[in-house]
Amino acid sequence: MIAAGLTQRFKVDFDPNSQVFSLAGTIRPRSIDEIAESIHALREAIDAVRGVLYIDVKRLIQMNNTAFQAFIRVALDACRERSDLRLIVVTSSVVGWTTRMFRHLSTIEPQISVEVYDSMFYPGQDYFEDTSFIPILRAQTKLTWRHERDILPRHGMRPGIAMADICCGIGDFAVLAQKEFQPARIVALDHSKASLSYARNVATDFGVTGIEYTYGDASEMLLEDNQFDFVTCRHSLQVFNHPELLLKELYRIVKPGGRVYITNEKNSHCLGEPRAQSIQWTYNELARLLSHFEMDVELGPKSRRYLADAGFDDILVESFMVTNLDGDPQDFADIIAGWEKMFTVMAARHGEAPEFIDRFRQGFRDHIFAALHPKGYAGWPIWAASGRKPL
C-alpha cells in the first residue's frame, strides 16, 4: 500500500509469512481520517498473527504525533486484549528518533519491546570501523586507484552521471572519482560516523565540493528507487555476513540500464617472493580465520555469480594485482603492516594458540620483506565486476 497526498507519502505493508508489518517514508497526517486505511491494515495484521508481530520502522523517516498516537493506540489496545501477543518494534540507528520514541512504549507495556536492527551492523564492524584502520584504508586506495582509474570507464563511469558510493568508508574514492570523472552528482554513504567525519575533512583538504556524505545502513537505505546511473561498493560485500542483502539494495537504487560496480578480494591468492611458502600459509589461514567472523575474503571470483543472482545482466568481470611495483614499495609494506596488526588481534580474540599467532604474524612480516626486497615481488589480487540493471 502506498499513500500519497499533500501532507504524507509513505508505504504500509504486511508480510503474513514472516509476520512483519512495515511502515516507511514520511507520515504527517492532519487528522487520523487521512490514515484510516493504514490503521485498519495494522488491526488486520494483528488479527492475522499468532505470537509475535514485528513492526518494522527501519525506513520510517518522519511521523508526526497524530500518526504516532493513532498507530500506538491500536498496538496498546491489542496487547491488553490478547495476552498471547508480543509486538517487537524493529528500529534503525540511522533513524535515531524511532528508537527513542518507540522504546518508551516498552516501559508502559511489557508485551512491546524494541530491537535496534543495526546496533551491530556486521560481525567484524568493531575491527573495520576502528579509527586506527584509517591509514590502511588510505594506503589501499592510493594503490588500487592506479588500476581502477583505467578500469572504471569500461564499467560505466563517465562525466555527468549521477553516482552513489555505498560503504564509502573514509571517502577518498569518492574524492578521486569526483576529481577524475566529474559526475554531476555523488552521494557517499557509510554506517560509520567517524569515517564520514574523516571523509568530509578529506574533501575539504582537497578542495572538493558537492559530495553528499550520508549516514546510512547499506542494507536498508533511505535512498529512493532508480536514482543513480552508477553505484559503487568497494571491498565491502566480502566483510558483510549477508552480501546478498546489500546487492538487493544496490539493485534497487540504480536506474534501469545503470550499472553496479563492486570490488572484492581473494586473500588466499596474495603472494610474495622470496619466502613464498610462509606468505601462502598465512593468507590461507587468514581466509579461514575471517570465516569465523562471517566474512568471505575469497569472494572476488564469486562476484559474477552474486551479481547474476541479484538480477543483473551484461556482467563484466576483470581482475588486477596490486603490487610493490605500483609506486613506492613502502606503501605496499605499510598496508601489510596494518593487516598484521589488525588480523593478529582478531586471531587472539578468536582464541588461536600463541604458536599459531607467531607463525601467522611471521607470514605478514615475510610479505613485507618481499615487498621491500630489492629483487622481491609482492602482490594483492582484486576482482572488479559490474552488472547492468535490466531495462
Side-chain angles (χ1 to χ4, degrees), residues 102-300:
F102 285 98
R103 182 167 283 161
H104 173 67
L105 293 174
S106 62
T107 65
I108 60 176
E109 175 48 66
Q111 288 172 234
I112 299 178
S113 59
V114 174
E115 294 181 355
V116 183
Y117 162 77
D118 52 356
S119 59
M120 184 53 72
F121 193 30
Y122 57 96
Q125 185 174 340
D126 282 351
Y127 301 98
F128 285 92
E129 293 186 5
D130 189 316
T131 53
S132 65
F133 197 53
I134 286 176
I136 305 173
L137 295 175
R138 291 206 69 172
Q140 287 184 175
T141 304
K142 182 179 179 180
L143 292 186
T144 57
W145 181 250
R146 295 170 59 90
H147 301 268
E148 290 189 270
R149 65 187 302 177
D150 295 329
I151 289 173
L152 283 163
R154 294 198 288 272
H155 291 259
M157 177 71 91
R158 63 187 185 279
I161 61 173
M163 170 191 166
D165 186 27
I166 306 303
C167 304
C168 69
I170 59 171
D172 46 356
F173 177 79
V175 167
L176 292 167
Q178 175 77 306
K179 293 173 66 176
E180 181 79 17
F181 296 102
Q182 299 181 344
R185 182 190 181 197
I186 295 185
V187 173
L189 179 146
D190 201 88
H191 191 260
S192 166
K193 292 180 179 177
S195 293
L196 286 172
S197 176
Y198 188 91
R200 293 187 180 96
N201 290 334
V202 168
T204 300
D205 290 345
F206 285 94
V208 173
T209 58
I211 298 176
E212 304 168 38
Y213 291 106
T214 304
Y215 176 59
D217 173 355
S219 65
E220 291 278 353
M221 289 185 278
L222 300 180
L223 300 172
E224 294 184 3
D225 299 354
N226 306 318
Q227 281 196 57
F228 301 100
D229 302 289
F230 192 63
V231 177
T232 59
C233 186
R234 301 168 58 260
H235 305 286
S236 297
L237 295 176
Q238 61 188 21
V239 301
F240 285 97
N241 51 339
H242 293 295
E244 68 280 2
L245 295 181
L246 267 67
L247 278 168
K248 183 179 178 182
E249 280 292 90
L250 303 181
Y251 184 95
R252 182 181 66 78
I253 66 173
V254 73
K255 295 177 182 176
R259 298 190 73 86
V260 166
Y261 169 88
I262 59 175
T263 62
N264 293 284
E265 304 164 31
K266 185 173 177 65
N267 274 16
S268 66
H269 282 202
C270 285
L271 53 84
E273 287 286 354
R275 303 181 181 178
Q277 190 172 3
S278 168
I279 296 167
Q280 186 67 67
W281 183 87
T282 286
Y283 285 99
N284 284 337
E285 290 300 316
L286 175 62
R288 180 191 63 80
L289 171 70
L290 294 187
S291 71
H292 294 296
F293 292 86
E294 300 184 55
M295 302 179 196
D296 183 6
V297 291
E298 303 288 272
L299 194 148

